[in-house]
Amino acid sequence: MAGVRTAWRVVDDGDFFCAACGGDRCYRRLAGRRRLTVLGVPVLPRGTAEPVVECVSCRGRFPLTALDRPTTTRLSALLRDGVHTIALALLAAGGGMSTRGTAGTAARRAAVESIRAAGFPECTEERLLTLQAALGAESLPLLDREVRATLSELTPHLASPGREALLLHGARIALADGPYHATERTMLTAVGEALRLSPSDTERLLATALSA
Ligand SMILES: [Zn+2]
């Protein structure tokens, strides 16, 4: 006869990754108010209920932390940006964006290949040079900050093989024009830190890439 009912109302919506149906879905964020009801009639307010996220497809309900996980679309965009930023940073560190010589060309070609494969098919060496010119003399500190900013959002959602692969991608660009330069090492260490790899793991991976 008497019970507590929750009346939900939609306060927000958007896209999220639904763990229950396993994909990018629309969600509705619901805020609830509890009321004591007698014979189905609300008689007394009983406070608010924990807000929930409801999947529009499967109607599964989850705590708000479900929104912390990026959608697969967002994750692939983050990954693409990560690859792009690391490539630019290593090119700048190796001088590969300013020298038009053979060494610079090899590094640029390696960078262009990986950037294209990561999802920017329109990337060309010419574009990288234009970008470098636009960044100017401040490109190294700028790119160092950019690497940390881009990777800080991505790193928590990647398992260690994914994080290691990103460091190795940077290492390959650095190595395209010969052994690591001091500035390339510094930048790769920054990349390793941003990927939350331990200093010894970073060292090990860089040594592996060098001997490959
Ligand atoms: Zn769902």
Side-chain angles (χ1 to χ4, degrees), residues 16-23 25-26 54-60 62:
F16 83 132
F17 181 87
C18 176
C21 47
R25 303 286 184 261
C26 296
E54 184 184 75
C55 172
V56 170
S57 299
C58 72
R59 301 282 163 179
F62 316 94

Side-chain angles (χ1 to χ4, degrees), residues 2-16:
V4 175
R5 285 219 189 133
T6 307
W8 298 98
R9 73 193 162 84
V10 179
V11 289
D12 196 10
D13 58 24
D15 297 324
F16 83 132

Side-chain angles (χ1 to χ4, degrees), residues 148-163:
R148 291 172 197 275
T150 307
L151 297 183
S152 71
E153 201 182 337
L154 174 63
T155 299
H157 307 292
L158 289 184
S160 41
R163 291 184 279 128

